[in-house]
Every structure is written in structure tokens, then in C-alpha cells.
Amino acid sequence: MKKTFLKLVTVISLSLMISCNSDDDNSVELTQTEILVSDTWNIKEYGVIVDTNFVADKLSGCEEMNFMNFSKDNTFYESDFFLDNDTCVDDNVDEKGTWEIEGKTLKRIIKFEGTNFEEKLAENIDRLDMNNLILSASQTDEQGNPETYYIHYIR
């Protein structure tokens, strides 16, 4: 009886050790698209990199309300706010359009309501995780000088 009990305890212990292996990983890795559409993205900061120097623009209290939503149907909505007589108001020039991810690039086509005008953006996805979306793109400033802008969104 004693040997049977000892064998039973040994078998149960081995079974538990094998089934509770620390290498088991039941987590599911989300795709870039699933992360992008999972919640609202609120602006944290933005700025430009000129040469190798980063120049951050200070967000006003109203700009901190700016956000962007991406939908599963590949449409997006972006809203910007500004200060008017000590009150934050929506600028009513909401950007809507379509989006797609190609590799590490977010491509957006902004369609301005009431016009046939479209703006096409191709932004580098510098970081995309459950809490951060950092986009950057090269462009030229008003004087024709090259610069890279970046925008950091958080949840």
C-alpha cells in the first residue's frame, strides 16, 4: 500500500510539473491593425527634427484634447481643438478618410467634406504598441528646408 501511494504521488507530481511548464505562453500577439483600431488615440506631443535636433511644440490645453480613431473598415476620424474666448472648441475641420498599413508605413487619404480635395499621407510607424503610436514623415518647411515631423499619440 505504501509503495502504491508513493507511485501515485510521484505520477501526480510529474504530471503537474509537465503541465505547468513555465515555457507555456497562452498570450496572443495582436497585429498592427488590431492594435490601431482597438481604442482612441490622444495626442501626447508633436514636433520636428531639423538636422539632428528635436524641437518639440508645446501643446496648449486645447490641443491635448486632439484625438484620432481608426475603424476596422479602414476609415479614420481625427478631431482638432483650439482656444476661443477661453473655451476649447472643436475646429469643425475634422479630418476623415481611409487608411491602410503597408509594412512599417501608415498610409492615409484625408477627404475634406464638401470638396473634391484629398491629401495623401505616408507616415512611418516608429512605434505601435497598446499604449503608444508614434508617426513620423519627412517634408519641407515653408522656406523649403527639409525636416522630419513626428506625432506621439497615447491611449
Side-chain angles (χ1 to χ4, degrees):
M1 179 77 173
K2 199 175 190 183
K3 285 184 179 183
T4 305
F5 179 73
L6 185 58
K7 286 180 184 179
L8 182 61
V9 168
T10 303
V11 169
I12 291 173
S13 297
L14 285 173
S15 298
L16 287 173
M17 286 180 8
I18 292 170
S19 66
C20 295
N21 188 341
S22 64
D23 292 339
D24 292 348
D25 185 4
N26 294 329
S27 65
V28 176
E29 190 163 322
L30 298 175
T31 67
Q32 288 181 319
T33 298
E34 290 169 327
I35 293 170
L36 199 61
V37 302
S38 63
D39 203 352
T40 297
W41 294 98
N42 300 295
I43 194 162
K44 179 179 180 185
E45 66 181 342
Y46 64 95
V48 295
I49 300 171
V50 181
D51 298 322
T52 57
N53 299 316
F54 170 69
V55 181
D57 290 334
K58 179 144 176 67
L59 294 175
S60 72
C62 294
E63 287 176 321
E64 293 173 351
M65 296 172 60
N66 295 351
F67 67 88
M68 188 161 25
N69 283 327
F70 296 89
S71 298
K72 290 179 183 178
D73 66 357
N74 289 77
T75 59
F76 76 92
Y77 174 80
E78 185 174 10
S79 189
D80 296 321
F81 292 83
F82 69 95
L83 189 62
D84 183 26
N85 293 325
D86 296 327
T87 303
C88 291
V89 294
D90 190 333
D91 70 1
N92 292 322
V93 185
D94 301 328
E95 296 178 355
K96 298 177 184 178
T98 59
W99 66 272
E100 66 179 325
I101 295 177
E102 286 185 7
K104 289 285 196 178
T105 303
L106 174 64
K107 293 185 173 186
R108 295 189 292 152
I109 299 174
I110 302 169
K111 299 176 180 177
F112 295 93
E113 289 185 30
T115 72
N116 290 329
F117 182 72
E118 292 182 343
E119 181 179 1
K120 295 181 181 184
L121 299 173
E123 298 165 308
N124 302 316
I125 301 172
D126 296 330
R127 183 172 177 185
L128 176 57
D129 59 41
M130 288 306 294
N131 298 309
N132 297 280
L133 169 61
I134 300 177
L135 303 173
S136 67
S138 296
Q139 62 183 20
T140 55
D141 64 15
E142 291 87 23
Q143 292 78 34
N145 301 314
E147 66 181 13
T148 300
Y149 75 84
Y150 92 99
I151 304 172
H152 184 179
Y153 293 93
I154 59 173
R155 295 201 195 260

